[in-house]
């Protein structure tokens, strides 16, 4: 179990929902009511049911609850038995006929199970009897996995609570059919937390995240509370990877793939291709999936996923309803399966060299200089169109696939672009990686320059400055012209503080766009 699983964190950004639940409970003396909460996995339905239970107990309610589990969804009235078990001693207050009906429904008597209407009426009588002592709150959690006879009975009861001080709250996962959803009861859809609440929850869950990782998690979580608490558990494994490829905890993976696992095989293949594709075009996804399947696949095979609220589908595009569904689909597929899909996408994208290079580079290791060259060219084009973050990622991946003699050059190019972006979190580990290699003197000088500008501080008085200049020359290697120039160029920023300069040179942003002599960065 993850840390987040055992620590639910604060309930933030749900003031409106808490007010709605409190109003429903406070109005119970004027008549009962029902409410169905629904939304995506991890959106906070269970937390709100727990909050409702706490509010109800403060108001003197008795609380009954049942939680659906898939392993019992085929057992008739398993959920009802769970719900009514705390009332087994009150059944003696029922009429003999009603008591016999419930015993038969639970398989406790010799009589055959009666009709559903008789069972529902007996339950309604029992709940009304209990509610004469204290108002009653009924909770149905994960109602999409309660057995159908139980949900049909609860829907029947919920429509007949006006005369009794009874409130029924049900939580249903979006994309699942349920009689409670179709019963015409009041419903409330839970959406993601507002940005301010999402940031507060993430900071409470993981206060020491770097700004880069923090922004990435906020973007991918889209306000989902479970994701905001669980994603930091795997944040240490984050690398500069494509959207939709965040590593998920087991809890998140299970939450976001539960519905996908129930879909037909051909639909799951299409979803995997869509998850690994960086664009939403329906035609290229179908073409690549057909290459993997060995035959043409039609768009109708996406319809089960659309009906299950996994994707949004239109005439020419397919979009995942939540980025973490995409991440979960990718993560649950085997490596060989994903590699085959990337190969099919690369073949489909022969006319798009930039995207093709990324798919060719996926899930391979070792030295592949041709693919590294293609990624470097793609990074060059990305930089020219202003997509610096894409260029940084491309250069880093190119360096991973490069022979030893090309690795430092590509890493330094990535570090320079990351510095332009103001992403110190990226520059520092890249420079550290360069330091583990064997760069040539010019590359070493560029690394020293970046390090100096990144950590710009006044050098101090004359003797201290001279000592540091000597040290920097030693670090830059043999004093070729380009290495001397690059070292002096970096040191000039810090010398600016010796005679009482403005100090502006001590900020990272003031150097953005400047390059050392001999810089070999892309573009």
């Amino acid at each position: 179990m993850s840390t987040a699983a055992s620590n639910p964190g604060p309930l933030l950004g749900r003031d409106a929902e808490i007010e709605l639940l409190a109003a429903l409970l406070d109005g119970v003396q004027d008549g009962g009511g029902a409410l169905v909460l629904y939304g995506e996995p991890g959106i906070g339905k269970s937390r709100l049911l727990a909050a409702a239970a706490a509010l109800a107990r403060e108001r003197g309610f008795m609380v009954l609850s049942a939680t659906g589990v898939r392993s019992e969804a085929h057992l008739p009235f398993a959920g009802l038995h769970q719900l009514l078990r705390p009332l087994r001693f009150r059944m003696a207050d029922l009429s003999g006929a009603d008591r016999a009906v419930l015993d038969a429904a639970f398989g406790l008597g010799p009589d055959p199970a009666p009709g559903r209407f008789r069972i529902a009426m007996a339950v309604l009588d029992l709940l009304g009897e209990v509610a004469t002592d204290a108002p009653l709150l009924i909770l149905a959690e994960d109602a999409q996995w309660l057995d159908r006879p139980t949900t049909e009975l609860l829907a029947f009861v919920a429509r007949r609570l006006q005369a009794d001080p009874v409130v029924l709250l049900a939580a249903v996962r979006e994309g699942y059919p349920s009689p409670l959803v179709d019963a015409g009861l009041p419903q409330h859809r839970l959406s993601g937390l507002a940005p301010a609440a999402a940031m507060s929850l993430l900071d409470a869950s993981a206060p020491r995240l770097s700004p880069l990782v923090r922004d990435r998690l906020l973007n991918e979580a889209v306000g989902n509370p479970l994701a905001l608490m669980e994603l930091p558990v795997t944040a240490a494994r984050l690398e500069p990877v494509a959207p939709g490829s965040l590593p998920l905890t087991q809890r998140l993976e299970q939450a976001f793939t539960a519905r996908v696992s129930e879909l037909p095989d051909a639909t799951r293949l299409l979803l995997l291709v869509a998850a690994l594709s960086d664009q939403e075009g329906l035609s290229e996804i179908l073409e690549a999936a057909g290459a993997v399947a060995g035959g043409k696949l039609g768009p109708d095979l996406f319809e089960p996923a659309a009906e299950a609220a996994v994707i949004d589908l239109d005439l020419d595009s397919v979009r995942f309803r939540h980025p973490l569904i995409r991440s979960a689909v990718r993560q649950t597929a085997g490596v060989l399966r994903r590699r085959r899909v990337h190969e099919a996408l690369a073949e489909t994208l022969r006319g798009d060299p930039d995207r093709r290079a990324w798919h060719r580079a996926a899930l391979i290791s070792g030295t592949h200089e041709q693919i590294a060259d293609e990624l470097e060219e793609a990074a060059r084009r990305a930089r020219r169109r202003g997509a610096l973050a894409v260029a940084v990622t491309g250069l880093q991946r190119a360096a991973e696939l490069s022979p030893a003699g090309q690795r430092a050059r590509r890493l330094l190019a990535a570090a320079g672009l990351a510095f332009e972006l103001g992403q110190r979190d990226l520059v520092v580990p890249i420079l550290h990686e360069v330091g583990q290699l064997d760069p040539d003197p010019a590359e070493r000088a560029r690394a020293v320059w970046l390090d100096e500008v990144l950590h710009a501080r006044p050098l101090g008085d004359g003797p201290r400055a001279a000592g540091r200049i000597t040290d920097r020359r030693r670090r830059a290697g043999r004093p070729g012209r380009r290495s001397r120039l690059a070292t002096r160029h970096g040191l000039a920023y810090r010398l600016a503080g010796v005679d009482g300069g403005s100090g502006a040179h001590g900020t990272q942003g003031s150097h953005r766009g400047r390059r050392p002599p001999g810089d070999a960065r892309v573009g």
Side-chain angles (χ1 to χ4, degrees):
M1 179 178 292
S2 70
T3 302
S6 58
N7 177 17
L11 184 58
L12 299 173
R14 297 301 187 198
D15 293 347
E17 284 78 10
I18 293 296
E19 289 179 9
L20 176 64
L21 297 175
L24 189 61
L25 295 171
D26 290 338
V28 74
Q29 296 304 331
D30 298 325
L35 180 65
V36 177
L37 300 173
Y38 71 100
E40 66 195 29
I43 202 65
K45 301 180 295 295
S46 296
R47 288 296 308 277
L48 282 172
L49 290 192
L55 291 173
R57 291 188 177 100
E58 291 173 0
R59 290 160 168 77
F61 279 65
M62 179 179 186
V63 179
L64 300 175
S65 65
T67 301
V69 291
R70 278 184 286 185
S71 61
E72 294 186 0
H74 65 289
L75 299 176
F77 296 116
L80 183 64
H81 184 267
Q82 184 186 160
L83 184 73
L84 298 184
R85 184 171 174 78
L87 303 180
R88 59 190 181 276
F89 299 115
R90 296 296 302 269
M91 291 186 185
D93 298 334
L94 294 175
S95 68
D98 281 348
R99 192 164 59 248
V101 164
L102 292 178
D103 284 346
F106 297 142
L108 301 177
D111 299 330
R116 300 280 175 84
F117 179 77
R118 283 290 296 118
I119 298 172
M121 290 302 298
V123 170
L124 191 60
D125 288 344
L126 175 61
L127 297 177
E129 181 66 29
V130 172
T132 60
D133 298 333
L136 186 60
L137 173 64
I138 300 170
L139 301 176
E141 186 174 349
D142 282 332
Q144 72 277 357
W145 290 323
L146 287 171
D147 60 277
R148 189 169 185 86
T150 292
T151 52
E152 289 176 344
L153 184 148
L154 290 177
F156 177 93
V157 169
R159 291 193 296 267
R160 292 162 173 80
L161 293 178
Q162 296 86 349
D164 295 300
V166 179
V167 172
L168 186 147
L169 293 177
V172 180
R173 185 172 293 187
E174 199 168 40
Y176 284 83
S178 171
L180 287 164
V181 174
D182 300 331
L185 302 173
Q187 297 182 9
H188 180 80
R189 185 182 186 276
L190 289 179
S191 55
L193 298 177
M199 287 187 282
S200 296
L201 180 56
L202 181 61
D203 292 342
S205 302
R208 294 182 179 84
L209 290 176
S210 69
L212 183 67
V213 172
R214 181 176 180 269
D215 289 346
R216 175 73 187 278
L217 298 190
L218 286 169
N219 288 336
E220 295 282 335
V222 197
N224 184 286
L226 179 63
L228 290 166
M229 292 185 290
E230 289 278 329
L231 285 175
V233 177
T234 60
R237 289 190 274 149
L238 277 181
E239 297 175 358
V241 289
S245 56
L246 282 177
L248 305 185
T249 63
Q250 183 179 9
R251 188 181 182 198
L252 275 177
E253 181 184 310
Q254 291 173 345
F256 281 93
T257 58
R259 195 68 172 117
V260 174
S261 65
E262 300 169 357
L263 298 174
D265 290 345
T267 302
R268 294 206 306 272
L269 171 60
L270 287 171
L271 290 176
L272 178 59
V273 177
L276 293 173
S277 175
D278 58 315
Q279 293 191 10
E280 299 170 347
L282 184 60
S283 59
E284 69 182 34
I285 291 171
L286 291 172
E287 182 180 346
V292 176
K296 186 175 181 180
L297 299 178
D300 57 299
L301 292 172
F302 267 122
E303 290 179 2
E307 293 170 359
V310 172
I311 59 168
D312 289 321
L313 180 67
D314 57 33
L315 291 177
D316 55 10
S317 67
V318 55
R319 294 175 296 279
F320 284 93
R321 295 286 294 271
H322 195 285
L324 296 184
I325 301 177
R326 177 176 177 156
S327 292
V329 168
R330 295 172 66 129
Q331 185 165 305
T332 53
V335 172
L336 295 179
R337 181 76 158 172
R338 282 183 283 147
R339 184 178 296 163
R340 178 68 189 96
V341 169
H342 279 298
E343 291 170 353
L345 283 165
E347 287 299 310
T348 301
L349 297 170
R350 283 191 170 275
D352 190 336
D354 289 0
R355 295 175 61 209
R356 183 171 186 266
W358 279 105
H359 288 292
R360 292 192 70 203
L363 300 176
I364 60 174
S365 57
T367 300
H368 299 271
E369 178 59 13
Q370 180 183 354
I371 297 177
D373 279 341
E374 292 176 10
L375 281 174
E376 187 173 13
E377 284 300 313
R380 193 184 307 276
R381 289 187 287 270
R383 186 178 190 279
R384 286 172 181 166
R385 65 177 183 267
L388 296 189
V390 174
V392 171
T393 304
L395 286 165
Q396 287 183 274
R397 182 61 175 140
E400 292 174 355
L401 301 175
S402 299
Q406 299 294 326
R407 197 166 296 155
R409 177 180 65 81
R410 286 166 173 153
L411 284 173
L412 285 168
L417 291 180
F419 179 75
E420 280 192 35
L421 283 170
Q423 292 184 343
R424 184 182 186 280
D425 302 2
L426 273 181
V427 180
V428 171
I430 293 174
L431 291 181
H432 178 75
E433 188 174 351
V434 171
Q436 307 303 307
L437 303 174
D438 185 23
D440 65 29
E443 291 166 347
R444 188 177 296 112
R446 282 194 294 277
V448 170
W449 179 86
L450 275 171
D451 182 68
E452 288 297 328
V453 179
L454 190 68
H455 301 95
R457 299 176 299 275
L459 282 169
D461 56 26
R464 289 176 62 198
R468 293 192 179 188
I469 290 172
T470 302
D471 179 59
R472 293 304 181 259
R473 282 179 176 171
R474 178 184 58 76
R475 286 175 56 191
R478 295 187 62 184
R481 180 176 180 274
R482 288 202 300 170
S483 65
R484 285 198 303 270
L485 285 173
T487 304
R488 290 169 184 171
H489 194 80
L491 289 169
Y493 290 118
R494 294 179 63 184
L495 285 168
V498 172
D499 60 356
S502 67
H505 300 294
T507 64
Q508 178 174 300
S510 62
H511 311 301
R512 192 170 296 175
R514 302 192 183 189
R515 302 187 187 182
D519 182 47
R521 203 165 8 164
V522 296

